[in-house]
Amino acid sequence: MEQHRTRKPQPRRPAGGRPKAPLTPPGALVEGAAVYRVAARQGPGRPRLERPAPPVVVALRRLPNPRLTGLGAGLFASAAMLVIGFLDWLLFDGSPLVFGLLFLPVSALTALWVRTADLVTAPISVPIAFAVGVVPISGGTSGVGGQAMALVTALAVHAGWLYGGTLVAGVIASVRKVRDMGRRQRAAAAGSPVRPVRRPAPERG
């Protein structure tokens, strides 16, 4: 008796004679033999409840927000402290308290207004501006030597205010630098390339 051979049914080909390519999953880009999945943008979720900003932050946001270079920030701080020193000498007879209290906001504004690329210059420009502004209230005698000695003495007496203003500028510059690094990391993470997913080869019958 003859035995009939059984053959596995072959998949039918279309009329053109070419096998159909496997369907590409939705939301994917095909390049060569790789399939790149494209992340779908999610729609807006539930609205987040934002806490009201503190009054200090609201007041700071209302201030002008220029972007000065490192040299511009140093010139601004030096000119502001020189004007404050002359006003202190004329109105308050060179009061160290008035000069020191006004030095703190100048230090903060210098660190806030300098551009991000020159943040490191803020803690350096502030002590120079303090030395420039303390000249009118140092009370030195005539002559270069007398003025220099009076300036050194004034800097030693007002060292507390000098360190305080430098600390304020350094803290503000550090906070701004950390926030800028965080924004760059989030931007880099959002724009990082997605790893390609290899498409499996079609099975051969």
Side-chain angles (χ1 to χ4, degrees), residues 47-53 61:
R48 297 180 180 178
L49 298 177
E50 296 183 357
R51 297 180 180 180
R61 288 177 180 176

Side-chain angles (χ1 to χ4, degrees), residues 7 71 78 114 120-121 145 177 190:
R7 298 179 62 185
L71 180 60
S78 301
V114 69
V120 70
T121 62
K177 187 65 176 180

Side-chain angles (χ1 to χ4, degrees), residues 1-5:
M1 296 178 64
E2 295 182 358
Q3 294 181 356
H4 298 280
R5 296 181 180 178

Side-chain angles (χ1 to χ4, degrees), residues 5 22-23 28 39 47-48 54 98 118 126 138 150 152 166 182 190 194-195:
R5 296 181 180 178
L23 297 177
R48 297 180 180 178
V98 174
D118 297 330
V126 165
S138 59
V152 172
T166 306
V194 184
R195 294 182 178 179

